[in-house]
């Protein structure tokens, strides 16, 4: 628990105090967000030129905090030391965040360079998401951990991901093979990165929602760590078969803390935007959290706000292409309410409430499943 708390605190402080530096640097480099002024959105007024690519800060803060969390682990008594060495789980989760963020960074860089809101084309962004999902999906499914048994022999055990579909935990009857699991994970990465990206559009909206989702995964992973099948001190029959749950909790907590520090500067009126760098980075990490905690089918509930906003875009496109009519005044959904006269702050707070409800329902389902099987 100490390592997780240290990681959260370090990530928060690094993000809180480094974001103003990033604001000055990006402003000096004229890395301002291009804004389309012909959309009639009140939230666009006065935002032209606001520095973007702020996601670089909380991505770096998360990586730094991960290292700090591991340093904290080494100070524990020998009997309590667990997962001190960096793991493949950390490689997958941080790799997803960093490289998904890199795809977003290219998009942001092209927007700034062209002074236009269109950056990396859709095909290029899609290819980048598929490549990141495929590489880390293969690592997650094809590289099991090793453990030494009583005779000194090494045996292969858990992979970061699973070949079965999962809800609260793996569902053995729904085995989709390693290839199928990699394909599914690519889809999850694409869905999560685009979901967070579409939600990013109002000051603090995506950042605040991501804090809730990541905090939920930190709680889930730490609970799994305390009831871990690989823990020799846990004597109950009902446990969680996952790999490196303490690593997952540490990274999720660090990312949540980093986002809270960034939110200080990103809330209305925002002094910096996360850009696609941050949105895609967070989406990649959230996808990795769902895979590593074996809660793939729980993700649409935990990230309920992202699903709702993504579906508003899908509905709008289908309706316009089939009937020529729009269901919403504008999509994504937050802009519909802007045009309906809601203030930006009202939309953000109310959407945060929706995000919180989804997280609360998901945590309730997770914990109730444990209680049901313990009785």
């Amino acid at each position: 628990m100490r390592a997780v708390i240290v990681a959260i605190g370090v990530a928060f402080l690094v993000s809180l105090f480094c974001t103003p530096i990033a604001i000055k640097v990006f402003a000096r480099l004229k890395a301002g967000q291009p804004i389309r002024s012909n959309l009639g959105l009140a939230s666009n007024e006065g935002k032209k030129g606001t520095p973007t690519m702020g996601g670089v800060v909380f991505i770096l803060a998360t990586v730094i905090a991960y290292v700090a969390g591991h340093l904290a682990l080494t100070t524990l008594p020998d009997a309590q030391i667990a997962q001190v060495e960096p793991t493949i789980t950390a490689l997958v989760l941080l790799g997803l965040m960093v490289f998904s963020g890199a795809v977003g960074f290219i998009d942001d860089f092209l927007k700034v360079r062209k002074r236009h809101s269109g950056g990396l084309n859709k095909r290029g962004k899609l290819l980048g998401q598929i490549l990141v999902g495929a590489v880390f999906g293969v690592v997650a499914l094809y590289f099991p951990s090793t453990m030494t048994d009583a005779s000194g022999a090494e045996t292969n055990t858990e992979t970061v991901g699973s070949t079965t579909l999962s809800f609260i935990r793996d569902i053995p009857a729904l085995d989709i093979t390693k290839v199928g699991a990699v394909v599914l994970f690519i889809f999850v990465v694409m869905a999560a990165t685009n979901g967070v990206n579409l939600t990013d559009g109002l000051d603090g909206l995506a950042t605040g929602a991501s804090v809730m989702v990541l905090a939920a995964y930190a709680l889930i992973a730490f609970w799994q760590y305390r009831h871990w099948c690989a823990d020799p001190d846990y004597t109950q029959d009902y446990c969680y078969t996952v790999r490196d749950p303490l690593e997952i909790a540490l990274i999720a907590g660090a990312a949540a803390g980093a986002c809270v520090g960034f939110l200080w500067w990103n809330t209305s009126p925002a002094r910096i935007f996360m850009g696609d760098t941050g949105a895609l980075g967070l989406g990649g990490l959230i996808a990795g959290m769902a895979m590593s905690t074996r809660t793939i089918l729980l993700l649409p509930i935990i990230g309920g706000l992202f699903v709702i906003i993504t579906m508003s875009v899908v509905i709008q496109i289908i309706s316009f292409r089939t009937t020529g009519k729009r269901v919403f005044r504008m999509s994504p959904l937050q802009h519909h309410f802007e045009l309906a006269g809601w203030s930006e702050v009202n939309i953000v707070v109310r959407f945060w409430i929706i995000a919180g409800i989804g997280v609360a329902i998901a945590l309730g389902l997770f914990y109730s499943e444990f209680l049901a099987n313990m009785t």
Side-chain angles (χ1 to χ4, degrees):
M1 185 65 176
R2 182 190 303 177
V4 177
I5 294 173
V6 167
I8 293 171
V10 169
F12 170 73
L13 293 174
V14 170
S15 188
L16 180 66
F17 291 110
C18 288
T19 300
I21 298 173
I23 292 172
K24 293 179 181 178
V25 170
F26 289 140
R28 190 173 296 124
L29 295 174
K30 297 182 179 180
Q33 175 70 45
I35 300 292
R36 293 176 63 186
S37 58
N38 61 342
L39 299 178
L41 298 175
S43 64
N44 282 356
E45 297 179 8
K47 292 188 178 183
K48 186 176 181 180
T50 301
T52 187
M53 295 187 282
V56 169
V57 178
F58 59 72
I59 290 174
L60 288 176
T62 301
V63 175
I64 292 170
Y66 171 76
V67 175
H70 269 265
L71 291 176
L73 277 175
T74 62
T75 66
L76 295 174
D78 289 344
Q80 299 180 40
I81 293 178
Q83 299 173 293
V84 173
E85 298 298 326
T87 64
I88 288 203
T89 301
L91 171 67
V92 170
L93 294 178
L94 293 176
L96 283 165
M97 188 180 199
V98 170
F99 285 96
S100 293
V103 175
F105 183 85
I106 294 171
D107 187 42
D108 287 332
F109 177 79
L110 292 176
K111 288 177 183 177
V112 171
R113 186 176 182 181
K114 296 176 181 178
R115 304 295 178 190
H116 189 272
S117 58
L120 188 64
N121 61 46
K122 293 180 181 179
R123 183 176 299 177
K125 189 181 293 186
L126 184 65
L127 181 60
Q129 292 168 338
I130 291 173
L131 182 61
V132 171
V135 169
F136 289 102
V138 168
V139 174
L141 269 298
Y142 286 86
F143 291 85
S145 61
T146 57
M147 293 186 68
T148 304
D149 60 23
S151 65
E154 288 190 343
T155 57
N156 289 335
T157 54
E158 291 298 320
T159 53
V160 179
S162 173
T163 60
T164 66
L165 288 178
S166 57
F167 181 52
I168 304 299
R169 59 181 74 233
D170 286 335
I171 306 171
L174 300 179
D175 193 312
I176 57 176
T177 74
K178 287 184 178 181
V179 173
V182 172
V183 172
L184 173 63
F185 183 60
I186 292 172
F187 172 78
V188 174
V189 168
M190 292 169 58
T193 51
N194 286 304
V196 178
N197 197 24
L198 289 171
T199 303
D200 183 34
L202 299 182
D203 294 349
L205 177 56
T207 309
S210 296
V211 168
M212 298 181 207
V213 171
L214 290 166
Y217 276 118
L219 290 172
I220 287 172
F222 192 76
W223 183 263
Q224 291 175 332
Y225 172 65
R226 295 302 298 261
H227 304 85
W228 190 22
C229 294
D231 184 355
D233 295 327
Y234 187 69
T235 57
Q236 299 291 334
D237 293 332
Y238 200 68
C239 58
Y240 294 94
T241 305
V242 294
R243 177 173 175 176
D244 309 320
L246 185 59
E247 289 280 83
I248 303 168
L250 194 153
I251 294 171
C259 285
V260 172
F262 180 76
L263 184 60
W264 183 274
W265 306 100
N266 182 235
T267 192
S268 183
R271 293 187 56 189
I272 189 170
F273 301 139
M274 70 166 67
D276 281 21
T277 305
L280 269 61
L282 288 174
L285 178 60
I286 289 170
M289 289 290 161
M291 173 182 63
S292 59
T293 58
R294 313 292 173 88
T295 55
I296 289 285
L297 297 180
L298 191 64
L299 175 58
I301 302 175
I302 294 180
L305 178 65
F306 302 140
V307 174
I308 291 169
I309 288 177
T310 301
M311 289 307 299
S312 73
V313 175
V314 173
I315 291 170
Q316 186 86 321
I317 292 173
I318 292 174
S319 176
F320 186 75
R321 288 184 177 178
T322 56
T323 68
K325 297 181 180 179
R326 293 180 172 87
V327 176
F328 307 104
R329 298 181 184 187
M330 183 181 291
S331 65
L333 188 60
Q334 61 267 34
H335 298 314
H336 166 82
F337 289 105
E338 273 196 279
L339 293 178
W342 291 23
S343 71
E344 182 175 8
V345 173
N346 276 343
I347 297 170
V348 170
V349 172
R350 287 168 180 171
F351 276 39
W352 280 353
I353 293 172
I354 294 172
I357 290 171
V359 165
I361 292 172
L363 290 177
L365 289 171
F366 180 84
Y367 186 60
S368 62
E369 188 265 354
F370 180 84
L371 290 179
N373 285 277
M374 288 294 291
T375 56

